[in-house]
Amino acid sequence: DIQMTQSPSSLSASVGDRVTITCRASQSISSYLNWYHQKPGKAPELLIYAASTLQSGVPSRFSGSGSGTDFTLTISSLQPEDFATYYCQQSYSNPPTFGGGTKVEIK
Amino acid sequence: EVQLVESGGGLVQPGGSLRLSCAASGFTFSSYTMNWVRQAPGKGLESVSAITERGGDTYYLDSVKGRFTISRDNSKNTLYLQMNSLRAEDTAVYYCAKGHRRDGYSHWGQGTLVTVSS
């Protein structure tokens, strides 16, 4: 199975900050990488698929980059509704494994 | 509007069975791969099973192979997960999710809690 490692596991940031989350795959996954966020008690929501394609309806402050084994999710200006846990998921092969999550908290 | 509504969760003893359902609306159900994803209390996400549009191809997490069966009824716009020989480690919120993994899971239900305990 492909292992996905996210860093950091948590971070504290203020509204308006630029935030970057990293995801590393245990082997090359080309650009088959999705990003989700999940608010407490809610289902996850898709933000980005294929490493850099913004899902319909997702604000443009979210962006994704990377290929091969190293990927990043960037929030250009953190908003109050962005405080959540973020997950990457490789979609290269089954099982479609998720990273352990990055909790973004209010500073 | 896409809606996915799970049902069928609950408390079951180890070794018992449950059948989860996911009622879909707001899209052409028969045109999409569907998935079950679970989340143990306080833990991360785990893709459990997937089924292609006509049910011709399925995927299972290794730890549930031989115990769980995914199916769908396109005439009823409903996805199912039959769970047998349940174990404590199957305790989780189970979500159904729409879409092939390559496109990301674009829509999710609200989840149904399965608790395996004596």
Side-chain angles (χ1 to χ4, degrees):
Chain A
D1 297 359
I2 298 173
Q3 306 304 314
M4 305 301 293
T5 303
Q6 286 183 236
S7 61
S9 56
S10 66
L11 65 90
S12 295
S14 300
V15 172
D17 284 354
R18 182 181 183 89
V19 169
T20 298
I21 297 168
T22 297
C23 181
R24 175 165 288 176
S26 60
Q27 66 183 73
S28 178
I29 57 170
S30 185
S31 296
Y32 295 114
L33 192 283
N34 305 322
W35 289 99
Y36 303 84
H37 72 182
Q38 184 180 31
K39 298 175 186 178
K42 300 293 187 181
E45 295 177 342
L46 178 65
L47 299 172
I48 286 169
Y49 63 96
S52 61
T53 303
L54 203 63
Q55 172 68 0
S56 175
V58 173
S60 59
R61 63 180 178 273
F62 291 95
S63 63
S65 64
S67 65
T69 60
D70 294 317
F71 301 85
T72 59
L73 173 71
T74 300
I75 309 171
S76 60
S77 177
L78 198 66
Q79 298 301 299
E81 59 268 31
D82 301 335
F83 292 95
T85 299
Y86 290 77
Y87 293 96
C88 61
Q89 178 201 30
Q90 65 83 12
S91 57
Y92 180 78
S93 65
N94 283 328
T97 41
F98 290 87
T102 297
K103 188 173 184 179
V104 176
E105 299 176 301
I106 301 172
K107 182 182 284 184
Chain B
E1 178 192 4
V2 172
Q3 284 203 319
L4 299 169
V5 180
E6 302 95 336
S7 61
L11 175 63
V12 61
Q13 293 189 338
S17 297
L18 278 177
R19 187 198 200 198
L20 306 184
S21 299
C22 172
S25 61
F27 66 103
T28 305
F29 180 73
S30 59
S31 296
Y32 290 89
T33 291
M34 295 297 295
N35 310 271
W36 289 101
V37 179
R38 69 184 179 185
Q39 186 170 36
K43 302 296 184 181
L45 300 166
E46 188 173 51
S47 285
V48 173
S49 188
I51 187 167
T52 51
E53 294 87 332
R54 297 183 185 180
D57 194 17
T58 57
Y59 148 78
Y60 295 97
L61 188 66
D62 278 352
S63 61
V64 308
K65 280 181 185 174
R67 301 189 297 122
F68 290 12
T69 303
I70 192 171
S71 62
R72 63 192 296 162
D73 185 336
N74 287 344
S75 68
K76 295 182 178 178
N77 292 344
T78 303
L79 175 72
Y80 302 101
L81 186 67
Q82 178 67 44
M83 305 187 295
N84 299 330
S85 304
L86 282 161
R87 306 168 180 168
E89 55 265 35
D90 296 319
T91 294
V93 174
Y94 284 73
Y95 296 100
C96 71
K98 166 183 172 277
H100 191 278
R101 68 177 192 272
R102 291 284 171 88
D103 303 316
Y105 302 155
S106 62
H107 295 83
W108 298 61
Q110 84 288 350
T112 187
L113 177 62
V114 172
T115 303
V116 185
S117 174
S118 54

